Amino acid sequence: MEMDVIDWNHVLRLEGLQLCMEEVIQEVASSKNVRLECYANTSKTFLKEQPCDLPDNLKPESDNGGKVSFLEVHHADVVNTAWKYGGSQGSLRFVKRCLSHLPSFCLLDVYGNPISWMMMDQFCTIRNVYTLQKERGKGHSKHLIALFTHTLHHLGYPIYCHTDEGNIAAEKLFQSLKFTDIPFSPLWLRSIPLAKEK
């Protein structure tokens, strides 16, 4: 591992690392006088190797005249408010960055408001799959996931997602679209220079 790539004098987070990297990172951190905190990742990972088994014509059962579009930065407040891990200024900045630089899809109602959406995060993971409560059970998420999957495949992105462990509805949704549950538990670390703790 290149020793001078990371500035260990600042508190930082290392996210999504393979578990086999923990020992090496611990050794480097120790040599830099840094304490590492490990966080358990409780998400499940689902992978879609080929989108060809997804139908192109999955249509939501909707009577609202919805239109498929992209999430725009001005939708960030809605996404941030609905997101389980959202609600803060930090999460709002994160959502805005993702919407500014990465693919997303949404279904808009006749007034142009998102009623169902998904976006990609910094790991190129399908993230924040959400449908407003009153619009659930109409196939919106399934429709958007199929479209998003075909689009991501065409753009050359890997097609995978994380669901919170225990989110049975999300697990069933991705399994119904023939995503495969894969054993992957990424490592999340926070480094704290010992000098900053004094």
Side-chain angles (χ1 to χ4, degrees):
M1 176 181 267
E2 183 76 31
M3 296 285 229
D4 298 324
V5 173
I6 298 173
D7 183 353
W8 294 97
N9 295 313
H10 301 281
V11 175
L12 61 97
R13 289 188 337 190
L14 303 170
E15 299 179 341
L17 302 169
Q18 295 174 336
L19 289 176
C20 63
M21 297 294 294
E22 182 177 11
E23 187 176 323
V24 173
I25 293 169
Q26 290 281 8
E27 286 176 22
V28 173
S30 178
S31 75
K32 298 293 185 179
N33 209 22
V34 170
R35 180 173 60 85
L36 288 179
E37 295 175 346
C38 293
Y39 294 94
N41 184 335
T42 59
S43 64
K44 292 185 82 171
T45 302
F46 289 88
L47 174 69
K48 183 71 171 164
E49 294 190 44
Q50 292 295 327
C52 57
D53 59 357
L54 283 174
D56 287 318
N57 60 350
L58 277 175
K59 298 288 184 209
E61 303 161 19
S62 179
D63 54 359
N64 65 7
K67 172 185 160 192
V68 174
S69 186
F70 303 103
L71 283 169
E72 303 287 346
V73 174
H74 69 270
H75 296 135
D77 282 325
V78 174
V79 173
N80 187 46
T81 301
W83 185 27
K84 177 181 177 179
Y85 303 105
S88 70
Q89 286 303 306
S91 60
L92 179 60
R93 282 190 303 274
F94 170 77
V95 170
K96 284 181 177 179
R97 280 193 305 268
C98 290
L99 296 183
S100 295
H101 302 289
L102 297 165
S104 66
F105 267 120
C106 68
L107 187 65
L108 302 173
D109 65 14
V110 293
Y111 305 106
N113 300 313
I115 58 172
S116 186
W117 59 81
M118 63 194 56
M119 62 184 228
M120 185 177 272
D121 69 10
Q122 76 273 28
F123 300 111
C124 295
T125 307
I126 297 172
R127 177 74 66 178
N128 289 20
V129 177
Y130 189 83
T131 299
L132 297 178
Q133 189 73 37
K134 65 182 181 182
E135 294 291 336
R136 292 184 182 170
K138 299 178 182 178
H140 297 323
S141 291
K142 191 176 273 194
H143 174 60
L144 290 177
I145 290 169
L147 287 172
F148 205 26
T149 299
H150 284 292
T151 301
L152 295 177
H153 179 69
H154 178 73
L155 294 172
Y157 284 101
I159 304 164
Y160 69 108
C161 66
H162 297 297
T163 63
D164 287 336
E165 196 167 34
N167 186 342
I168 304 303
E171 291 176 21
K172 285 182 178 177
L173 172 64
F174 284 103
Q175 288 167 343
S176 75
L177 292 168
K178 299 182 180 166
F179 278 69
T180 305
D181 184 357
I182 60 171
F184 175 66
S185 299
L187 185 62
W188 305 87
L189 300 168
R190 181 171 179 240
S191 75
I192 304 165
L194 294 178
K196 296 224 182 228
E197 290 190 313
K198 295 178 181 173

